[in-house]
Amino acid sequence: MTALEKEPTTPAQGEPLVVLSDVQKWYGDLHVLKDINLTVHRGEVVVVIGPSGSGKSTLCRTINRLETIGEGSIQLDGKPLPEEGKALANLRAEVGMVFQSFNLFAHKTILENVTLGPIKVRGVKKADADAKAQELLDRVGVGHQAAKYPAQLSGGQQQRVAIARALAMEPKVMLFDEPTSALDPEMISEVLDVMVTLAKGGMTMVVVTHEMGFARTAADRVVFMADGQIVEENTPEEFFTNPQSPRAQDFLGKILKH
Amino acid sequence: MRLRRTAAAVAGLGLAMSLAACGDAGSDGGDSVDVEVDENAAESFDEGTRMRELADQGTIKIGVKFDQPGIGYKGATDDDPSGFDPQIGTILAASLGIDEENIEWVETISANRESFLESGEVDLVIASYSITDARREVVGQAGPYYVTGQQLLVPSDSDIADVSDVAGEEVCSVTGSTSLDNAQAEGAVPRGFDTYSECVDQVVDGTVAAMTTDGAILLGYAAEQPDALKVVGEPFSEERYGVGYSIDSPEMCGWINETLTESFDDGKWAEAFDNTLGVSLDETPEPPALDECA
Amino acid sequence: MEAITTDFDLYLKGFGLTVGLFVASGIASLVFGALLAAARVGPISVLAKASAAYVTLFRNTPLLMIFIFIAIAMPRIGFTFNFVEEIRVGDWNISGFFFRACLALTLYTSAFVCEAFRSGINAVPIGQAEAARALGLTFGQNMTNIVMPQALRAVVPPLTSVQIALAKNTSVAAAFGIAEATATMRLLGNRYGDQTVEIFFFIAVGYIIIVEIVALGSYALERRWKAAAR
């Protein structure tokens, strides 16, 4: 996997969509996010990598305020994140999120999982939401499972449903928090394929992952985090072939050895 | 034969205190019936009778109410219960040669009077114990030593004047009591409480229109709050208080009736009544006619 | 036997009131208890604390004391709640006594319902609520669409126990002006002093029937949801 399947693009192509400025976060005495400055532009795919405990998942979760921040500011599409209430709910509707453990609603069918957001949050008519959901499920390849419950599907299928569920809200940006880490190896590629297609389609994405192949294939930019800091960011080609910082060199040395 | 005079200690103390408001009762608790204890009484009963056994052992257990002012009441700090029922008990015990110090007063509530007699927990029950046919199936009841009737306790500004006014009204009494049953039969909505005093509170607070039970009890409560409460109406039931004894000792009936008749004649019954239930009344009623023993 | 056969209408009336108290307080306590649980796990700290304080107060107070407070102390200071008697539906109207009894039972039972719901909510994986939040559902939508329906399944067994306890706790109202089954038992016991054992037996059977209906309903619900989840 040496050849890049995608031409490197200039990171600052579109206008800024997600802007994190001087973000700090503590868990008690533990400083988990330090001086985070990150801008994600419209249409850009940013892959966040780094060792466990580096704060990359936390960073991802602050963008739709599933985690609050201690200091600094986060802006989405030019507006600061609301603190709580209806305004925050509205913001979250604009930000799709895919979790490591899928988190499909266990008591709802696959179709209901996908239509819930549009119906409850967007006020879409049930018939319209059903049609749209069926189309999305077909696109991610689980259309024939629409009437089943989550527990009846494999992990890979569940995660593809979760992606469809997030897409149904027509989000401005999609957040992926280690989307393949809980999957059996043979199911990883079916999920990554969906994500690659999405990236190629121009979706703005922030992806926390250990899948270096995906980073090389789909990322416009790789952000390397360690100890709560952004240590290095670069195009995938530059980052993987010529890492600048000792931490990144060390990290890549360990994971690319085998 | 030596006669000893003793003042029964079952003074109407609780009632006297509660009735002090109407300025009638004595306040020193000294108003109690004088009884003559016949120390050689045992010889006057035949061998094998329950009376002879009690006289020989020199003690007796009598069940009375502890929560009905004027009838059977024992305050938290009192040593012995006071009221008309304990005084009748003292008179009966004296005829067996048992003085008041050797009477064991046992609290009986309405629900356990039969079972206490059946199990021998008490020798006599004198606890506002109305004579009924159903009860005479399982226990003996001699008497009546007092006849009262159910009346109504209402707020002093109430329009209720008689039992005919209670139809459709909420009337309270003790849960499961005959009084409540009778009020229901008159068309009232029954409201049962655990104690009479809770029931009185309901009348004062206006959550019920009236309280009903035996007139004697109501008079006691009305006397405590004469500005707020009054007793109205003619008695609309007849409650005949009897002395309960074990059905296994039918010979006790004759002795009880004999002793009661004696107290009617020599004025002891009237004295006991005047000291207790009669405190707020102007005149002493005639003693009731006793039932024949079977 | 005669006590029950002769006065069977009293027996039925008594249990009618018992069922009435149970159903009214049962529904009210489920609604109020669920609101308390929502407040308890909700994002507004002052409501969460108020709910916790409520549970501490009412779960640790004997029911009899709550009854005495509502039925005897409150009227004494002027709160008789008799205004409810003005509410009329045709010929029927609620009595102040019935309302006060339901109020006492509801205040008490809600604390237990709240705790049952809270344990049920805690049994729902945190990711379920997070996923719903990420979709943009408000706290209320999240509770009603995602958390409560799943919590309900985990909560049926403990809630059943709470409601069974409530069915039996209605007997406390016997001493506060309600002629329900236990009061009827005392009335019949007074009327038929020689048949106390039979009367006790038939009253007990009545309670057993009520409790069994609740338990069977709960089993049926569990079975249906188990089938639906697979």
Side-chain angles (χ1 to χ4, degrees):
Chain A
M1 240 216 264
T2 48
L4 290 177
E5 291 167 26
K6 187 175 181 180
E7 288 299 308
T9 47
T10 333
Q13 210 171 28
E15 63 206 270
L17 187 60
V18 180
V19 180
L20 290 85
S21 317
D22 300 319
V23 170
Q24 315 280 353
K25 181 174 175 66
W26 291 266
Y27 285 130
D29 288 338
L30 195 64
H31 201 171
V32 289
L33 292 180
K34 297 176 191 162
D35 309 316
I36 301 292
N37 285 286
L38 179 68
T39 301
V40 181
H41 299 84
R42 204 178 290 280
E44 192 183 13
V45 176
V46 172
V47 169
V48 183
I49 61 174
S52 301
S54 60
K56 54 193 194 302
S57 271
T58 307
L59 172 71
C60 183
R61 289 162 59 88
T62 60
I63 296 174
N64 68 352
R65 217 179 149 80
L66 284 181
E67 299 280 355
T68 56
I69 57 173
E71 284 174 20
S73 77
I74 300 176
Q75 291 200 329
L76 184 82
D77 213 1
K79 291 186 286 274
L81 296 194
E83 296 250 316
E84 56 192 27
K86 191 75 188 147
L88 178 59
N90 288 340
L91 168 115
R92 283 173 174 154
E94 306 284 321
V95 180
M97 177 121 193
V98 175
F99 299 86
Q100 180 178 344
S101 50
F102 333 135
N103 294 350
L104 293 183
F105 304 131
H107 63 304
K108 300 215 173 271
T109 64
I110 297 305
L111 191 73
E112 286 166 346
N113 262 276
V114 183
T115 58
L116 182 85
I119 292 173
K120 296 291 175 190
V121 179
R122 295 263 193 250
V124 176
K125 281 202 204 73
K126 187 175 179 304
D128 297 345
D130 282 354
K132 172 87 182 292
Q134 190 60 54
E135 181 199 319
L136 283 167
L137 289 171
D138 289 338
R139 239 166 71 191
V140 299
V142 287
H144 56 293
Q145 315 271 32
K148 292 187 178 169
Y149 284 89
Q152 295 167 291
L153 270 59
S154 73
Q157 290 171 325
Q158 287 193 54
Q159 194 61 301
R160 284 184 280 152
V161 174
I163 294 171
R165 177 174 69 178
L167 288 174
M169 297 300 286
E170 295 174 351
K172 289 177 178 164
V173 54
M174 288 276 285
L175 309 176
F176 292 82
D177 184 6
E178 304 202 22
T180 56
S181 299
L183 293 175
D184 292 337
E186 74 272 20
M187 293 173 185
I188 290 177
S189 67
E190 66 190 59
V191 172
L192 290 180
D193 286 347
V194 171
M195 290 168 64
V196 169
T197 312
L198 212 55
K200 296 237 161 94
M203 175 60 75
T204 309
M205 293 162 67
V206 176
V207 183
V208 174
T209 188
H210 295 293
E211 296 299 325
M212 298 306 146
F214 174 80
R216 284 170 185 266
T217 311
D220 295 309
R221 182 156 46 121
V222 171
V223 171
F224 176 73
M225 283 186 77
D227 298 330
Q229 284 175 308
I230 294 178
V231 177
E232 191 169 339
E233 48 183 317
N234 215 327
T235 59
E237 188 184 11
E238 275 298 305
F239 178 77
F240 286 114
T241 54
N242 188 20
Q244 301 298 307
S245 63
R247 292 298 304 260
Q249 289 163 4
D250 181 46
F251 178 72
L252 289 174
K254 278 178 186 154
I255 62 165
L256 296 178
K257 200 151 55 183
H258 302 289
Chain B
M1 187 188 273
R2 195 167 58 89
L3 288 178
R4 187 158 59 88
R5 294 185 69 85
T6 174
V10 284
L13 186 61
L15 183 72
M17 287 173 69
S18 66
L19 294 188
C22 58
D24 193 355
S27 55
D28 60 356
D31 294 333
S32 49
V33 65
D34 289 332
V35 291
E36 293 173 2
V37 176
D38 182 350
E39 293 201 328
N40 299 317
E43 288 155 24
S44 57
F45 297 107
D46 291 340
E47 282 288 341
T49 63
R50 185 70 186 135
M51 290 78 81
R52 179 66 180 257
E53 284 171 34
L54 290 169
D56 283 344
Q57 77 187 34
T59 62
I60 187 167
K61 286 182 283 187
I62 303 180
V64 295
K65 291 281 178 73
F66 277 14
D67 62 350
Q68 290 181 356
I71 292 176
Y73 183 85
K74 182 171 176 287
T77 56
D78 300 341
D79 291 331
D80 286 311
S82 58
F84 189 50
D85 287 346
Q87 300 225 355
I88 294 294
T90 307
I91 292 169
L92 288 169
S95 81
L96 296 174
I98 300 167
D99 71 23
E100 36 85 21
E101 282 160 18
N102 291 314
I103 300 172
E104 186 184 337
W105 302 106
V106 178
E107 182 178 16
T108 50
I109 59 170
S110 295
N112 67 16
R113 291 175 296 200
E114 288 85 10
S115 60
F116 271 27
L117 282 172
E118 285 171 338
S119 65
E121 199 87 23
V122 294
D123 300 306
L124 296 174
V125 165
I126 313 173
S128 53
Y129 197 17
S130 298
I131 297 172
T132 68
D133 291 344
R135 285 172 182 159
R136 277 186 165 162
E137 299 277 312
V138 286
V139 298
Q141 289 186 309
Y145 63 90
Y146 183 60
V147 176
T148 181
Q150 196 175 338
Q151 285 178 287
L152 297 166
L153 180 73
V154 296
S156 21
D157 58 355
S158 171
D159 294 334
I160 293 174
D162 202 71
V163 65
S164 56
D165 297 330
V166 300
E169 298 283 353
E170 291 177 321
V171 174
C172 83
S173 192
V174 166
T175 305
S177 63
T178 310
S179 309
L180 200 58
D181 207 0
N182 291 340
Q184 190 170 8
E186 297 288 340
V189 180
R191 295 298 177 198
F193 279 77
D194 258 359
T195 64
Y196 287 115
S197 58
E198 283 174 344
C199 205
V200 174
D201 286 346
Q202 299 292 309
V203 178
V204 173
D205 298 336
T207 53
V208 296
M211 163 179 174
T212 185
T213 187
D214 301 346
I217 299 171
L218 298 180
L219 281 172
Y221 287 113
E224 284 181 332
Q225 303 183 58
D227 294 336
L229 299 168
K230 62 181 179 184
V231 177
V232 296
E234 287 298 308
F236 59 96
S237 72
E238 189 186 65
E239 299 300 328
R240 302 160 68 246
Y241 289 177
V243 178
Y245 56 92
S246 168
I247 202 162
D248 298 330
S249 309
E251 71 277 10
M252 292 178 91
C253 181
W255 159 66
I256 293 167
N257 274 1
E258 214 169 276
T259 311
L260 287 175
T261 306
E262 221 169 89
S263 72
F264 293 168
D265 296 341
D266 66 9
K268 299 289 185 223
W269 181 89
E271 194 185 334
F273 185 86
D274 288 344
N275 290 340
T276 56
L277 286 176
V279 159
S280 61
L281 297 179
D282 294 334
E283 51 188 270
T284 310
E286 283 298 306
L290 299 174
D291 291 355
E292 297 279 334
C293 288
Chain C
M1 270 311 284
E2 179 207 345
I4 299 298
T5 50
T6 315
D7 286 318
F8 196 61
D9 58 325
L10 274 181
Y11 181 83
L12 287 183
K13 259 188 212 161
F15 272 106
L17 268 172
T18 293
V19 170
L21 282 175
F22 170 56
V23 170
S25 315
I27 291 172
S29 66
L30 284 177
V31 171
F32 186 44
L35 290 176
L36 282 171
R40 189 96 193 256
V41 301
I44 303 169
S45 148
V46 59
L47 284 184
K49 281 181 186 141
S51 169
Y54 179 94
V55 170
T56 305
L57 182 63
F58 282 89
R59 199 171 54 157
N60 297 334
T61 308
L63 175 60
L64 186 63
M65 266 185 64
I66 297 174
F67 256 98
I68 291 171
F69 181 75
I70 298 290
I72 294 179
M74 295 287 274
R76 168 91 340 155
I77 55 174
F79 296 97
T80 59
F81 302 103
N82 277 346
F83 58 85
V84 298
E85 298 185 359
E86 306 303 319
I87 304 166
R88 287 186 175 277
V89 183
D91 276 350
W92 183 87
N93 78 319
I94 188 171
S95 76
F97 281 91
F98 189 81
F99 182 83
R100 285 190 292 272
C102 284
L103 187 62
L105 288 167
T106 301
L107 289 176
Y108 179 75
T109 309
S110 295
F112 293 89
V113 170
C114 170
E115 285 304 278
F117 270 121
R118 198 169 67 98
S119 71
I121 289 167
N122 288 341
V124 178
I126 182 81
Q128 296 286 308
E130 270 192 353
R133 275 197 282 159
L135 276 181
L137 267 67
T138 60
F139 175 74
Q141 287 175 325
N142 199 341
M143 281 316 249
T144 52
N145 290 289
I146 305 301
V147 178
M148 280 299 188
Q150 293 189 64
L152 218 49
R153 290 160 199 217
V155 109
V156 164
L159 266 191
T160 305
S161 303
V162 169
Q163 294 296 314
I164 285 173
L166 170 64
K168 295 187 284 184
N169 282 343
T170 56
S171 62
V172 176
F176 297 90
I178 306 286
E180 47 65 80
T182 300
T184 306
M185 179 175 86
R186 292 203 222 165
L187 171 67
L188 294 177
N190 185 60
R191 267 193 204 171
Y192 307 93
D194 54 329
Q195 300 172 41
T196 40
V197 175
E198 292 95 318
I199 292 165
F200 178 86
F201 175 77
F202 276 97
I203 296 289
V205 165
Y207 278 106
I208 289 168
I209 290 172
I210 293 174
V211 168
E212 277 305 301
I213 289 172
V214 174
L216 289 175
S218 143
Y219 296 148
L221 217 54
E222 277 184 65
R223 269 202 305 277
R224 223 185 71 192
W225 279 344
K226 249 180 209 148
R230 285 296 113 192

